[in-house]
Amino acid sequence: MLKLMSYAESATPAWLTEVLTREQKITEGQVASIKKKAVYKTPVTFITNLQITYSDDARGELPKTMIFKIKKRNQELQTGEKELLFYRHLSPMLHQTQKIRCYDAYMDVEKGISHLLLEDLSLTHSHPELPIHPPIKHCIEAVRILASFHAECWNRSELLQKVERMAGNRTQRLFLTEQYEQLEQQVHAFFVALGDRLLPERKAYLQEALSAGPYLFAPRWEKGPVTMVHGDAHFWNFLYPCEEEEGIRPALIDWEYFDVGIGAMELAYTIGLWWFPTQRRYYEKSLLQVYHETLLEHGVNDYSFAQCEDDYRLGLTANLFMPAWHWSNGERAELWWHHLERCTAAYEDWNCREWLESEGIVSGT
């Protein structure tokens, strides 16, 4: 943490003047001073708010505050640089997707630290606190944003080839397809670690999902349609407008896990993995309908609501593996234990086992 905090001192007035001049925010004058206020701290991430004053002769579009996001590089987990790749190479190709503007993205390889200089939306947007989801009107708008992002990237081969090259080798897509043996090993190690704390019926769900996986996931990716996915698009990775004002919409943040994927599978992650059952059951079907309608509005053709529902069930099935994946990465138990409760409930509610039987992938008992 101290290493990340000390790195924040590299955000000097001279450096910021250079960046903002390059980005045509400053046309005359310079940054006079910067005050830093820490807003988020973990062992691997440090985010500080930059409060900026300018020289008297400064001219241009002069932001008073900005966000300086510092990340420790982890080569094994491939964190700390993917978001840089997103803002440098992919974000400019996404003209309709609601996202934060990035002014500078840099990796200090020697120090193993990256930084992003981002616009500060705190005056117009807010961020909900886990585990309380935002008001439902904001959830609906977030689903629309997610669907419009998926629609913009839908079967867009040139973009998706670039996404695949930059996504790295630790993605959900690869674990569910080319690296399936590793996934199986993770899940079996998870069984051993939990022992009798994993109820028999939940273990049975995981076992049947593991058996069905090779006949489910790789064929679906090969068949298409596919799109670009955010990779961690839960409702707390959006910023929401503080007030209803025309032109101000939610914005997706934290692009650390982007990949090529199945759109409705990502929605299943957003809802099925992160919402507790009572809340999910109340809103889920209507949000799925909003998602599909938004795809159609943005030009996605030949994708029926029945196909959308099947892809959603596919996502709910894949969600069963997320607790084991988080556990194997050393995530805190309060995260993956609650995920286990939520994802198995969603799997049951959507009759996913019966769906697998109807598809001829698992046999009835």
Side-chain angles (χ1 to χ4, degrees):
M1 173 59 71
L2 290 176
K3 188 177 180 180
L4 298 181
M5 293 175 68
S6 63
Y7 183 89
E9 297 308 310
S10 64
T12 64
W15 168 79
L16 190 55
T17 297
E18 180 182 342
V19 171
L20 293 180
T21 300
R22 183 190 70 210
E23 296 296 314
Q24 300 181 335
K25 290 292 185 179
I26 294 179
T27 56
E28 295 180 37
Q30 60 190 357
V31 173
S33 65
I34 302 173
K35 289 185 178 180
K36 302 180 180 75
K37 180 182 179 183
V39 294
Y40 183 79
K41 293 185 283 188
T42 74
V44 296
T45 305
F46 182 70
I47 301 177
T48 184
N49 178 274
L50 306 181
Q51 300 173 12
I52 309 163
T53 58
Y54 298 87
S55 61
D56 292 340
D57 62 340
R59 299 291 182 272
E61 186 182 338
L62 308 176
K64 295 181 179 179
T65 62
M66 304 188 81
I67 296 296
F68 195 48
K69 181 177 181 179
I70 306 164
K71 190 95 175 178
K72 183 178 179 182
R73 187 185 193 191
N74 185 318
Q75 287 182 296
E76 182 183 355
L77 298 179
Q78 298 181 337
T79 58
E81 56 188 298
K82 273 185 69 173
E83 195 167 21
L84 271 71
L85 294 174
F86 170 79
Y87 280 112
R88 282 178 178 173
H89 303 289
L90 300 174
S91 181
M93 300 176 72
L94 303 177
H95 304 295
Q96 306 301 320
T97 300
Q98 298 293 316
K99 55 193 183 299
I100 293 178
R101 181 172 178 181
C102 179
Y103 297 96
D104 195 57
Y106 176 74
M107 168 65 74
D108 188 323
V109 177
E110 185 177 332
K111 293 181 179 178
I113 294 176
S114 66
H115 78 241
L116 297 170
L117 181 66
L118 303 164
E119 68 175 318
D120 180 13
L121 298 182
S122 60
L123 292 179
T124 56
H125 291 69
S126 62
H127 186 261
E129 182 181 358
L130 271 167
I132 305 171
H133 68 73
I136 191 60
K137 64 178 182 180
H138 285 162
C139 294
I140 292 171
E141 191 63 18
V143 169
R144 291 190 186 280
I145 295 295
L146 187 65
S148 63
F149 159 55
H150 290 162
E152 184 176 7
C153 306
W154 200 265
N155 280 344
R156 206 171 137 189
S157 58
E158 181 182 354
L159 169 67
L160 296 179
Q161 289 170 10
K162 182 176 281 192
V163 170
E164 190 170 324
R165 288 196 302 269
M166 295 181 180
N169 58 16
R170 287 184 63 87
T171 69
Q172 185 194 48
R173 168 179 53 87
L174 291 177
F175 274 112
L176 293 176
T177 56
E178 298 173 23
Q179 300 170 4
Y180 202 74
E181 287 186 8
Q182 288 182 243
L183 176 63
E184 289 177 314
Q185 291 169 6
Q186 286 182 352
V187 173
H188 287 300
F190 186 63
F191 289 164
V192 173
L194 281 189
D196 60 10
R197 291 169 294 184
L198 182 63
L199 297 179
E201 57 267 30
R202 291 178 179 173
K203 185 176 181 179
Y205 291 155
L206 274 162
Q207 287 173 323
E208 70 186 14
L210 271 183
S211 298
Y215 308 100
L216 277 176
F217 301 114
R220 174 60 185 84
W221 255 275
E222 291 170 6
K223 180 182 177 182
V226 293
T227 186
M228 180 180 175
V229 292
H230 176 279
D232 195 23
H234 53 71
F235 285 113
W236 298 268
N237 265 342
F238 290 81
L239 298 179
Y240 298 93
C242 298
E243 298 179 3
E244 292 186 22
E245 187 173 330
E246 189 173 351
I248 298 181
R249 304 183 69 193
L252 262 169
I253 60 173
D254 290 348
W255 291 84
E256 190 75 59
Y257 300 101
F258 68 80
D259 194 17
V260 175
I262 315 299
M265 282 185 68
E266 177 149 74
L267 185 65
Y269 173 89
T270 304
I271 299 172
L273 191 68
W274 287 89
W275 271 14
F276 287 99
T278 303
Q279 204 81 2
R280 173 181 51 78
R281 291 168 189 144
Y282 195 84
Y283 293 116
E284 187 174 32
K285 292 292 181 71
S286 60
L287 289 174
L288 184 59
Q289 189 74 51
V290 166
Y291 175 82
H292 184 254
E293 289 172 355
T294 305
L295 289 179
L296 300 182
E297 290 168 6
H298 285 79
V300 172
N301 299 313
D302 300 322
Y303 187 66
S304 68
F305 187 66
Q307 288 174 289
C308 188
E309 284 187 309
D310 281 349
D311 284 343
Y312 191 83
R313 288 189 179 91
L314 190 67
L316 296 178
T317 304
N319 282 350
L320 293 177
F321 306 134
M322 291 303 295
W325 188 80
H326 283 301
W327 168 81
S328 69
N329 285 335
E331 297 281 0
R332 64 194 189 278
E334 65 179 320
L335 173 71
W336 55 258
W337 184 254
H338 290 158
H339 280 346
L340 182 63
E341 183 76 23
R342 293 185 291 246
C343 71
T344 51
Y347 185 83
E348 291 173 343
D349 288 346
W350 277 77
N351 299 314
C352 290
R353 192 182 196 288
E354 289 78 1
W355 172 66
L356 293 176
E357 286 181 15
S358 70
E359 296 291 315
I361 296 171
V362 301
S363 59
T365 57

